[in-house]
Amino acid sequence: MKTPAALQALIDDGVIDEVLRPLKSGKEAAVYVVRSGSEVRCAKVYKDMAQRSFQQRVQYQEGRKVRGSREARAIGKATKYGRKQQETAWKNTEVDALYQLREAGVRVPEPHGYFHGVLVMELVTDANGFSAPRLGEVELTAEQAREFHAVLVRQVVRMLCCGLIHGDLSQYNVLVGPDGPIVIDFPQVVSAAGNNAARRMLLRDVNNLTASLGRWAPELLETWYGEEMWALFEAGSLQPDSVLTGEFEHDERLADIDSVRDAINEARDEALIRQQGREEAALAD
């Protein structure tokens, strides 16, 4: 295929040898399958801010650290320089998160470097060597759904122990490899301690997973893993291997249980809307 302009610099520098084919394209980035020596990897090309339409971007950026005080002031004032620094910080976020999470044992693709604004990383494949499907594209048994749910809840716990929340986790941001689910797409990752909406985003992430996997194993819909792990996190006692039960005693004076349960259905609807947007973006490309 014709080499995209954004990847030509990587070929010129010897980072990759060939662009094999496009893998997927969304509102935030386009991903290509590339060859680097004898290895087949993927290259994620981030789209410019003008081309993106990720909703509530400011909410996701709350609590993120920038390089220095000058950059922070410029971003706060929304100057041209500030917007450029904000764009750079946004692109660096996923790179930094992948390295941190991979080191912590979270099931994410292995990063192979960030070059000229392009993230090169492991290509997740299925048992036959083809690009792995998304979780929302596979048929599961009840047993598989329960197993995948347990694995993914553990990944959320490990992320939270790193002080991070995915922020956009759903069946469309999980790939199914031969050894189970792999979590992808981290440009919207949220600081657990520095973002006022952290708890709500964590619960939404867990509810998204529960709603999708609960189609195959309905008993999952009666679990409260998000609330349980957040309570442990707030108490400073959450560990990567903390045993979770899925049970949680709500304070009836403070919590509206029906509203929390309704959030699962809302999360499912939101995930479908996001997927439609990704498909429309792919068609537009």
Side-chain angles (χ1 to χ4, degrees):
M1 62 169 289
K2 181 179 179 181
T3 301
L7 295 177
Q8 186 59 52
L10 275 68
I11 292 180
D12 295 340
D13 289 350
V15 176
I16 62 176
D17 297 298
E18 182 183 6
V19 181
L20 301 178
R21 61 182 175 87
L23 180 60
K24 70 172 185 176
S25 181
K27 295 180 180 180
E28 306 300 309
V31 182
Y32 298 87
V33 178
V34 300
R35 181 177 61 82
S36 179
S38 60
E39 298 288 331
V40 177
R41 298 172 176 170
C42 64
K44 187 169 188 176
V45 180
Y46 296 98
K47 297 183 177 180
D48 292 334
M49 187 177 291
Q51 296 178 270
R52 305 196 313 265
S53 59
F54 194 84
Q55 296 179 349
Q56 299 176 318
R57 189 178 293 111
V58 173
Q59 185 177 30
Y60 284 84
Q61 292 169 343
E62 181 184 351
R64 290 184 181 176
K65 296 180 180 179
V66 293
R67 189 171 52 188
S69 58
R70 181 192 176 200
E71 287 78 7
R73 289 194 301 270
I75 290 174
K77 294 179 181 179
T79 64
K80 183 177 181 180
Y81 174 75
R83 289 193 296 271
K84 182 178 179 180
Q85 292 302 310
Q86 187 178 49
E87 181 76 0
T88 299
W90 178 81
K91 292 178 179 179
N92 286 333
T93 295
E94 179 166 32
V95 182
D96 295 341
L98 277 180
Y99 277 103
Q100 181 181 356
L101 295 174
R102 183 81 180 188
E103 180 68 21
V106 181
R107 294 177 59 86
V108 299
E110 180 181 1
H112 292 293
Y114 182 59
F115 313 91
H116 303 289
V118 178
L119 171 61
V120 180
M121 56 185 167
E122 171 191 5
L123 175 67
V124 181
T125 59
D126 62 16
N128 297 315
F130 296 105
S131 300
R134 296 177 183 179
L135 180 60
E137 298 171 338
V138 298
E139 298 281 330
L140 300 174
T141 64
E143 182 178 357
Q144 286 175 319
R146 288 190 292 269
E147 179 183 344
F148 282 13
H149 189 267
V151 170
L152 288 168
V153 164
R154 183 56 52 189
Q155 306 320 301
V156 175
V157 167
R158 290 175 178 168
M159 284 188 270
L160 190 54
C161 287
C162 292
L164 299 176
I165 296 169
H166 188 285
D168 190 31
L169 189 56
S170 74
Q171 60 184 331
Y172 302 108
N173 287 327
V174 175
L175 299 179
V176 180
D179 299 323
I182 306 289
V183 182
I184 61 170
D185 291 341
F186 287 89
Q188 68 296 311
V189 69
V190 170
S191 167
N195 192 302
N196 289 324
R199 177 183 178 275
R200 182 171 61 81
M201 291 186 182
L202 174 76
L203 297 185
R204 186 178 65 188
D205 280 355
V206 178
N207 285 344
N208 280 341
L209 298 175
T210 300
S212 58
L213 293 169
R215 292 180 300 160
W216 315 107
E219 67 273 15
L220 293 175
L221 299 176
E222 302 303 321
T223 60
W224 304 93
Y225 286 101
E227 290 83 353
E228 184 182 9
M229 71 177 72
W230 183 259
L232 292 172
F233 175 74
E234 279 195 314
S237 57
L238 184 67
Q239 299 295 326
D241 58 353
S242 291
V243 176
L244 301 181
T245 65
E247 299 177 359
F248 183 74
E249 185 175 345
H250 294 83
D251 188 338
E252 299 288 350
R253 298 168 301 174
L254 301 177
D256 182 347
I257 307 303
D258 290 336
S259 295
V260 175
R261 181 54 65 199
D262 289 344
I264 291 181
N265 292 326
E266 293 174 4
R268 181 190 292 127
D269 293 340
E270 182 176 345
L272 290 174
I273 292 172
R274 287 174 181 266
Q275 174 61 11
Q276 290 171 357
R278 293 186 181 97
E279 293 173 351
E280 290 173 1
L283 291 174
D285 286 349

